[in-house]
Amino acid sequence: MSCGEPHETDCSEVLDHLYEFLDREMPEGDCTKFEVHFEECSPCLEKYGLEQAVKKLVKRCCGQDEVPTDLRSKVMGRIDLIRAGEAVPEQEITVGGTDQAATARE
């Protein structure tokens, strides 16, 4: 996605790191670059608004559930592999010795 206009921060970089921005998991300087980009680029601003709304909806509906830290780490690792274009084998992700399991699929 791109508006076709040149920007200091490329649209693909913004969209690749959108959730890091939403979660404020990036350095302040990068957050500032993204905010400037959103002021200049309406397609990216629209995508940001949509993802922000989805995130708020999920939090409202599921915000009380505690996610085990080790499960979050494993899932985020899988997401990173998928984003990098690497093959991710289908297997169960077990949670800290408990009998809870989730099957990861692409």
Side-chain angles (χ1 to χ4, degrees):
M1 171 194 308
S2 176
C3 64
E5 299 293 326
H7 301 285
E8 183 177 329
T9 306
D10 189 63
C11 294
S12 62
E13 179 183 348
V14 171
L15 297 177
D16 286 347
H17 299 281
L18 186 57
Y19 279 97
E20 292 171 56
F21 176 79
L22 282 166
D23 295 338
R24 295 294 185 191
E25 295 177 344
M26 60 175 34
E28 188 59 38
D30 290 342
C31 288
T32 302
K33 286 189 339 184
F34 278 40
E35 289 164 356
V36 168
H37 183 91
F38 292 134
E39 290 174 10
E40 300 172 346
C41 183
S42 61
C44 288
L45 178 61
E46 184 177 331
K47 180 71 172 167
Y48 164 73
L50 175 64
E51 296 300 332
Q52 185 179 42
V54 168
K55 184 175 171 66
K56 285 180 182 179
L57 178 63
V58 168
K59 183 177 181 177
R60 188 178 75 215
C61 295
C62 307
Q64 287 73 26
D65 296 337
E66 288 287 325
V67 178
T69 304
D70 58 332
L71 176 61
R72 177 175 165 71
S73 297
K74 290 176 183 179
V75 170
M76 293 306 293
R78 294 279 176 105
I79 290 171
D80 289 340
L81 288 175
I82 291 167
R83 284 182 178 160
E86 296 181 28
V88 180
E90 184 175 315
Q91 66 185 40
E92 287 190 351
I93 298 175
T94 58
V95 181
T98 68
D99 57 354
Q100 299 175 1
T103 301
R105 299 183 192 277
E106 284 190 350

